[in-house]
Amino acid sequence: MEARYDIAIVGAGITGCAIARQLARYDKTICLIEAADDIALGASKANGGLVHAGYDPAPGTTKARMNARGCELYGRWSEELGFLFHRTGSLVLGFTDEDLATLEHLRDNGLANGVPHLEIVGPDRIAELEPRANPDATCALWCPSTGYVDPFEVAIAAAENAVANGAAFMRGAPVTAIDRPKEGGFVLSTPKGDVRCEILINAAGSGAGEISRMAGDRGLRMVWRQGNIAVLDKEPRAITPLYPVPTPVSKGVIVTGTVHNNTVITATAEMREQGDKDTYAGDVEALLSGARKLVPDLDTRRVVRTFAGGRAVLEKTNDFLIEASDSTPGLFHAAGIQSPGVASAPAVAERMEQLLSEAGIELVERADWNPIRRMPDDFDLAPLERKEELIETDPAWGRIVCRCETVPEAEIVAAIHRKPGAISVEGVKRRCRAGMGRCQSGFCQSRVVEILARELGVAPSEVPLEDTGSWIVDGPLKNPDAHTGAIAEEDC
Ligand SMILES: Cc1cc2nc3c(=O)[nH]c(=O)nc-3n(C[C@H](O)[C@H](O)[C@H](O)COP(=O)(O)OP(=O)(O)OC[C@H]3O[C@@H](n4cnc5c(N)ncnc54)[C@H](O)[C@@H]3O)c2cc1C
């Protein structure tokens, strides 16, 4: 079986999803192909979620342009795509004269990259901007355009908008071979069937080297700059992002709030074996001690989760590669999007659109293109009147399944039926936060399994934690009807 599309995008991380969304406005058929069983399971789920402003990358690099422009576009993208984005500003804290010199250098970098309103500030202003910042800091770079998002929410929102505008999404479909037939274009082999396309966009993260090689282009060599991250319980007020003075390869250990008021400590940077997602005691200790230097009163015992991800870095360059292949017509790369790929995603998508135009591909806007994706109802954040309205329409809005994050049954059901919807426990978590809280799903996981089984019409033993094979249930449940019936009233 062979499906035909004008454009195939390989990789449904934040880069591929943003590109799909950008191109879905045009009169082209698009398929977004993902090896994993859901959106944003690569680097896009395991990062700090910071929309860095763009004062860090060296002026003139692709990364610098993408970062500054991406940060600028986030306001519009969050309004159109209905995801939470808080533009809080950030402080890079300095403690010595040497640090001050580095901050001045960063400010000049930022100005060259087009980052607005950068300012060096002193201790009084630091205390005003973030009262919990280390009072020993003598100077800081204040950057008002920095913000943060839930990165997987951005990818999911972009993919949903692309699909609403006609794009297809193939999950569980690793591209294992690429043929270039004589008549032109590409035929991609996947376990879900072949995909024929005229234009192939390589947004495969750490798999980008392999896609390039299979498509007949130069072998891009990828290395894995791994990072550990710690998430702390919620604070009454989210901490304004605080950065240390950066090192040549990393922004260092940053403390930031999140859109849901957690605190995140992000991230270490170590060259490790491709695919290594382990957390390391030494890394976690480096995170906690780094965080205490920025926020001395941070209670680091309140860690609810540690995890790791890998930045897909192109060997021998610290830059992104966003270009048309010069040896394989029709192939375009968005590769080496190591960091800051979250901050840059809207700009990478815009640049890809330009590259297609420059290559002579006619992009005609569809009359029915709709840039808007409505933000799904978030019961926890909804005002009281909206909560009442929702419960009135369906009592399942009043049945709280995840108590840490106040997620009711109806919100989980909605997450499963979105397009593309959740098909795993973690997929539900990324879409509506059930299991994201302090107890890390100890309380609600079995209920989420039941709801998934019921809504998808499968047995609980067929509901995975994440990808196929990560089964949770290995036998009959106490309530044998759980996967077909509603949750028992007495449980609610
Ligand atoms: C610890 C850490 C902290 C970070 N913090 C930040 C931050 O705060 N702010 C920021 O801007 N950036 C941050 N980053 C960087 C950011 O996470 C990445 O730049 C971004 O997620 C890259 O997105 P992507 O879509 O290019 O890659 P990915 O998210 O990795 O997506 C690539 C996708 O391609 C799929 N794929 C691969 N091969 C194939 C194949 N053969 N067939 C089909 N599909 C395939 C993969 O399954 C994957 O889903 C951080 C990264 C790390 C690791």
Side-chain angles (χ1 to χ4, degrees), residues 108-413:
D108 295 347
N109 246 8
L111 293 174
N113 292 343
V115 179
H117 312 304
L118 292 168
E119 198 188 336
I120 306 274
V121 294
D124 292 349
R125 185 82 174 115
I126 296 172
E128 212 175 275
L129 290 163
E130 179 43 73
R132 295 183 66 187
N134 191 335
D136 292 341
T138 52
C139 52
L141 177 67
W142 166 237
C143 177
S145 54
T146 306
Y148 44 69
V149 290
D150 265 351
F152 35 83
E153 194 192 358
V154 179
I156 289 168
E160 285 184 13
N161 185 240
V163 167
N165 283 297
F169 175 54
M170 272 175 90
R171 54 173 117 204
V175 172
T176 52
I178 301 177
D179 193 25
R180 289 163 64 199
K182 275 196 225 77
E183 63 275 22
F186 306 86
V187 178
L188 316 183
S189 304
T190 86
K192 294 267 174 85
D194 289 355
V195 172
R196 183 182 284 264
C197 62
E198 298 303 316
I199 297 156
L200 173 58
I201 298 177
N202 177 11
S206 61
E210 204 38 21
I211 295 296
S212 176
R213 193 191 54 72
M214 287 193 276
D217 199 1
R218 63 197 153 125
L220 307 172
R221 279 186 55 83
M222 315 297 302
V223 291
W224 185 258
R225 196 190 294 143
Q226 208 248 31
N228 283 206
I229 295 181
V231 181
L232 276 64
D233 207 353
K234 296 189 186 206
E235 296 278 356
R237 186 187 64 80
I239 298 178
T240 303
L242 296 175
Y243 295 56
V245 167
T247 71
V249 292
S250 152
K251 292 175 193 68
V253 171
I254 305 164
V255 177
T256 175
T258 73
V259 290
H260 294 279
N261 284 8
N262 290 87
T263 301
V264 163
I265 309 175
T266 176
T268 49
E270 295 292 335
M271 300 313 293
R272 292 200 167 115
E273 221 166 280
Q274 185 79 253
D276 180 346
K277 291 185 192 155
D278 288 347
T279 52
Y280 291 83
D283 280 40
V284 173
E285 189 39 53
L287 287 174
L288 302 185
S289 59
R292 283 186 216 108
K293 278 186 204 138
L294 299 171
V295 186
D297 76 352
L298 192 68
D299 183 355
T300 47
R301 292 168 307 174
R302 300 176 78 231
V303 171
V304 294
R305 179 116 186 171
T306 54
F307 58 90
R311 306 164 184 90
V313 180
L314 277 170
E315 201 180 46
K316 297 197 181 109
T317 165
N318 203 29
D319 208 358
F320 295 173
L321 179 83
I322 307 170
E323 62 178 41
S325 158
D326 43 22
S327 63
T328 306
L331 173 65
F332 295 80
H333 298 292
I337 313 293
Q338 21 128 332
S339 185
V342 174
S344 306
V348 173
E350 197 181 66
R351 178 69 191 127
M352 189 55 71
E353 177 190 27
Q354 274 169 7
L355 285 175
L356 263 52
S357 289
E358 284 165 21
I361 294 152
E362 203 184 353
L363 296 174
V364 179
E365 192 166 310
R366 293 158 37 144
D368 60 352
W369 177 65
N370 183 1
I372 306 299
R373 170 224 184 230
R374 197 181 71 81
M375 184 182 285
D377 274 303
D378 180 328
F379 189 79
D380 191 30
L381 297 182
L384 189 60
E385 311 82 72
R386 180 65 185 152
K387 284 191 169 82
E388 283 169 358
E389 218 174 271
L390 286 167
I391 294 169
E392 196 107 319
T393 56
D394 180 355
W397 280 101
R399 290 202 283 271
I400 302 302
V401 175
C402 170
R403 291 187 186 173
C404 301
E405 298 291 320
T406 325
V407 186
E409 184 186 341
E411 200 174 327
I412 295 171
V413 171

